[in-house]
């Protein structure tokens, strides 16, 4: 069936690709762009300690846990803190971040996301979220994306940060599929590495020159259709 209307998903198959049966998505930079909120919160925290934090440095924190991000920022600022102080700082940063993301709306979902999720869901693929964020539930609720996902694995459920594959392996396990039956959608180098280390295919969202380990790289989900999954 061919639908020529611009807003509707493209032609669908009734069953998933023989090789790929499940799709695991990172959140930040793939479905929505919350990097700006992380950046503002980390910058505010750095400024309270007397140093600045750049957008270039923020890029290095993609896919990295809150604790590891804080450790990097403290190192950049040549600041030493006790474990107790680090916990207080991480909590403070998160409170600022949560305050910002609770004001998010569906308008902040990245282009093509809803159409692509709708298309692959109707085609029979199982979907899971695999994010380091501990606030993924809030973001999915505010952006009206939660209903697409069969399982949600986030920073509250795993102990190891990407590039460790734990978050994606957990997602595959909950969906009931083997790693080689899964494809991961990631915008971070650490996330793509995690997918490959976990034995999964990886579709990079970003630049080919950066996401060199990915099987396919596109600028966004608006460039993908279900046919691309069948060709992996």
């Amino acid at each position: 069936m061919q639908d020529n209307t611009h807003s509707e998903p493209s032609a669908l198959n009734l069953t998933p690709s023989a090789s790929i049966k499940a799709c695991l998505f990172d959140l930040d930079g793939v479905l929505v762009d919350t990097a700006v909120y992380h950046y503002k919160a980390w910058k505010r925290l750095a400024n309270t300690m007397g140093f600045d934090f750049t957008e270039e440095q923020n890029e290095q924190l993609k896919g990295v846990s809150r604790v590891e991000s804080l450790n990097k920022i403290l190192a950049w600022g040549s600041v030493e803190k006790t474990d107790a102080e680090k916990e207080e700082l991480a909590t403070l940063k998160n409170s600022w971040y949560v305050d910002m993301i609770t004001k998010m709306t569906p308008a902040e979902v990245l282009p093509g996301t809803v159409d692509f999720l709708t298309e692959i869901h109707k085609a029979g693929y199982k979907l899971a979220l695999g994010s380091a964020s501990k606030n993924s539930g809030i973001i999915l609720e505010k952006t009206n994306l939660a209903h697409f996902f069969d399982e949600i694995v986030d920073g509250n459920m795993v102990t190891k940060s990407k590039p460790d594959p734990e978050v994606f392996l957990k997602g595959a396990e909950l969906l009931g599929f083997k790693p080689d039956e899964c494809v991961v959608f990631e915008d971070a180098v650490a996330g793509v590495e995690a997918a490959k280390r976990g034995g999964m295919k990886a579709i990079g969202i970003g630049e080919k020159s950066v996401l060199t380990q990915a099987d396919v790289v596109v600028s966004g989900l608006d460039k993908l259709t279900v046919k691309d999954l069948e060709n992996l």
Side-chain angles (χ1 to χ4, degrees):
M1 180 183 71
Q2 182 65 43
D3 192 326
N4 293 320
T5 58
H6 179 71
S7 60
E8 293 297 320
S10 58
L12 304 178
N13 284 348
L14 295 177
T15 56
S17 155
S19 56
I20 299 298
K21 297 179 174 62
C23 301
L24 289 81
F25 292 83
D26 178 45
L27 179 62
D28 299 345
V30 175
L31 305 176
V32 298
D33 190 2
T34 57
V36 62
Y37 301 125
H38 282 297
Y39 173 62
K40 288 180 178 179
W42 283 127
K43 182 178 176 66
R44 182 176 175 183
L45 190 71
N47 292 164
T48 65
M49 292 184 286
F51 62 96
D52 206 5
F53 173 65
T54 68
E55 292 186 53
E56 288 74 23
Q57 288 171 324
N58 191 59
E59 287 294 307
Q60 297 182 45
L61 304 185
K62 282 186 175 181
V64 179
S65 72
R66 191 185 308 159
V67 173
E68 290 188 27
S69 294
L70 176 59
N71 286 333
K72 285 178 177 288
I73 290 168
L74 292 175
W76 289 328
S78 300
V79 174
E80 292 188 8
K81 297 289 183 181
T82 65
D83 287 344
E85 288 171 331
K86 287 180 181 179
E87 188 172 338
E88 289 180 6
L89 289 170
T91 300
L92 180 60
K93 178 267 177 182
N94 190 58
S95 68
W96 293 334
Y97 174 71
V98 170
D99 184 57
M100 288 185 279
I101 63 172
T102 52
K103 299 178 179 65
M104 290 182 74
T105 72
E108 294 180 77
V109 174
L110 290 172
T113 295
V114 172
D115 282 351
F116 183 63
L117 294 181
T118 299
E119 181 178 2
I120 62 175
H121 188 267
K122 286 183 177 179
Y125 292 89
K126 293 297 183 181
L127 279 63
L129 188 79
S131 171
S133 172
K134 292 186 176 182
N135 300 298
S136 58
I138 298 173
I139 296 169
L140 290 178
E141 176 190 350
K142 293 295 180 179
T143 56
N144 198 29
L145 294 176
H147 66 283
F148 284 111
F149 294 95
D150 300 288
E151 299 289 346
I152 294 175
V153 183
D154 61 17
N156 298 298
M157 299 175 64
V158 296
T159 59
K160 299 172 184 175
S161 295
K162 303 168 188 176
D164 189 282
E166 182 186 16
V167 68
F168 295 135
L169 292 175
K170 183 71 172 177
E173 178 186 354
L174 290 174
L175 290 176
F177 293 106
K178 297 179 293 185
D180 62 4
E181 295 176 309
C182 301
V183 59
V184 169
F185 298 79
E186 261 286 357
D187 73 316
V189 172
V192 171
E193 183 180 340
K196 302 307 290 184
R197 285 173 59 178
M200 303 177 185
K201 296 282 189 179
I203 294 181
I205 307 297
E207 300 292 334
K208 290 183 180 180
S209 60
V210 177
L211 304 174
T212 55
Q213 290 189 58
D215 296 283
V216 176
V217 179
V218 293
S219 60
L221 296 181
D222 56 335
K223 302 298 190 293
L224 295 170
T225 69
V226 72
K227 289 293 184 184
D228 295 303
L229 302 188
E230 295 167 6
N231 293 329
L232 283 174

